[in-house]
Amino acid sequence: MGSRNRFLAGTAVLAAAVLSGGFAAAPAIASQSPCVAPDSRPTVRFLDYDSGVANRTVEGGCSINDLIDDESAWANHGGFVAHVTDVARDLVGAGVITAGEAAALTGTAAHSDVGKTSSYVSLFDGTTESYANWGYVGGRGFALRDGSMVTTNSPTGGGLGMLWYRAAQFGDFSLRLQFRDERGGDANARSNSGVLVRFPGVDPAANPQCNTTDPAWVAVNCGHEIQINDSPELGSNDPRKTGSVYGFADLNLAQARPTDKGVWNDLEIRVVGQHYTVIRNGVVINEFDNVPGLPFPGRPTDPGTSGRQYAQGYIGLQNHDGGSVIAFRNVRVRDLG
């Protein structure tokens, strides 16, 4: 995906090749690399419906999920089902899936809501134009590099930093993105970051209930941070691991389902009402009900859940510390309201 437009164009080329029996043209397709950010979830999904069919890789580095392209805006449900039927038929002909798996794909497509409900909208597709919709507050910053937003120690070299999507607030939503730990050093040196959701802005004066004068901490104190941290459970490492709803529903390392450094991970955060669901690489790893009255453990001056009851808010990406290097790409959101 990288650039969402490049991804869709590349997928269209690949899908056309598949549907015309074009697997024989693999070298030409692969050289175009249409799926620089392939959907690597373990099974083929149609928005909220899981077919159970293994999400195999096909030509050009794409997966079956990429060929299906359930996230795009389809004119109608019938057109999507016809598309899946055609793709499944030709994947059978190419020996990628079995006839039984093709039937599962078509049946799941028919039961899905694709073409009937909201599609995903890109917030960052790797281009400078989409990057310009994000604002920056705090100390350590971000840079646009190879289609990703990457944490850096500039511009000031100190203090918590945050990149936030300033163009819109979101109520009930599914947020999907990919992240990768790019920290150097030995395997035990891991990055710490997070995704901030449902915070009311970045102006401390306009949000005195957040109990901070630092714009980057407004999101921390009044929103919810979905932690990114696959560090070993050793020494002074933060015990709250990836997928934790920071401070309120924390995960250990095993529950976080960690990956090695240098591996792109698919992260989905769903917020409906005050119910939070965190999905990593296609697996639900955490759920949390943001009921009022829960204090923030160990930080009594920070707002508890009663101060985090917003029905909508902004989305942000955290730069936690100088040693961490996290890359984010393919950020998109779907309205679940």
Side-chain angles (χ1 to χ4, degrees), residues 14-327:
L14 181 56
V18 172
L19 296 178
S20 63
F23 276 89
I29 296 170
S31 66
Q32 296 174 17
S33 299
C35 292
V36 295
D39 187 328
S40 58
R41 288 175 295 174
T43 56
V44 181
R45 300 187 65 94
F46 304 86
L47 294 180
D48 301 325
Y49 292 77
D50 189 347
S51 72
V53 175
N55 183 32
R56 299 181 180 92
T57 301
V58 293
E59 304 298 343
C62 294
S63 68
I64 298 175
N65 270 328
D66 295 314
L67 292 183
I68 297 300
D69 195 23
D70 62 311
E71 294 187 1
S72 292
W74 289 85
N76 55 69
H77 179 65
F80 175 72
V81 175
H83 161 72
V84 172
T85 301
D86 289 343
V87 170
R89 180 193 63 233
D90 289 292
L91 288 173
V92 171
V96 177
I97 63 175
T98 66
E101 289 173 321
L105 292 179
T106 302
T108 306
H111 284 92
S112 76
D113 292 330
V114 182
K116 303 177 185 177
T117 189
S118 300
S119 58
Y120 279 86
V121 176
S122 177
L123 304 186
F124 173 72
D125 63 6
T127 63
T128 54
E129 292 80 9
S130 65
Y131 187 57
N133 290 323
W134 294 73
Y136 168 75
V137 291
R140 290 174 293 270
F142 288 78
L144 180 62
R145 189 182 74 205
D146 298 329
S148 300
M149 299 184 286
V150 186
T151 61
T152 71
N153 271 326
S154 61
T156 65
L160 192 75
M162 185 183 70
L163 201 65
W164 64 294
Y165 186 75
R166 57 190 175 187
Q169 296 188 57
F170 302 94
D172 294 349
F173 61 87
S174 164
L175 173 69
R176 287 192 62 195
L177 57 83
Q178 292 176 308
F179 73 88
R180 180 170 69 182
D181 187 345
E182 298 185 353
R183 182 169 185 160
D186 63 38
N188 287 334
R190 300 301 298 259
S191 295
N192 190 321
S193 183
V195 181
L196 287 305
V197 297
R198 283 266 185 99
F199 59 92
V202 295
D203 183 355
N207 295 282
Q209 74 280 9
C210 300
N211 194 30
T212 181
T213 59
D214 187 330
W217 278 87
V218 174
V220 175
N221 285 2
C222 275
H224 278 297
E225 177 186 349
I226 310 304
Q227 174 83 312
I228 294 175
N229 170 31
D230 283 346
S231 64
E233 292 178 317
L234 301 171
S236 62
N237 287 341
D238 193 327
R240 300 174 172 107
K241 307 305 180 183
T242 299
S244 297
V245 181
Y246 198 91
F248 297 104
D250 295 327
L251 303 183
N252 61 33
L253 190 59
Q255 293 169 326
R257 302 176 68 92
T259 63
D260 292 337
K261 288 191 288 189
V263 174
W264 283 107
N265 287 257
D266 187 277
L267 181 67
E268 180 179 359
I269 301 165
R270 294 189 177 206
V271 184
V272 178
Q274 294 297 333
H275 185 76
Y276 288 66
T277 304
V278 183
I279 304 167
R280 183 178 189 175
N281 296 325
V283 179
V284 175
I285 60 172
N286 203 2
E287 293 193 69
F288 169 64
D289 286 308
N290 185 41
V291 298
L294 300 177
F296 194 105
R299 287 171 16 192
T301 62
D302 286 1
T305 53
S306 294
R308 304 170 193 249
Q309 294 293 310
Y310 301 100
Q312 64 176 12
Y314 291 97
I315 289 169
L317 307 173
Q318 186 187 83
N319 186 336
H320 182 269
D321 61 78
S324 296
V325 183
I326 290 283

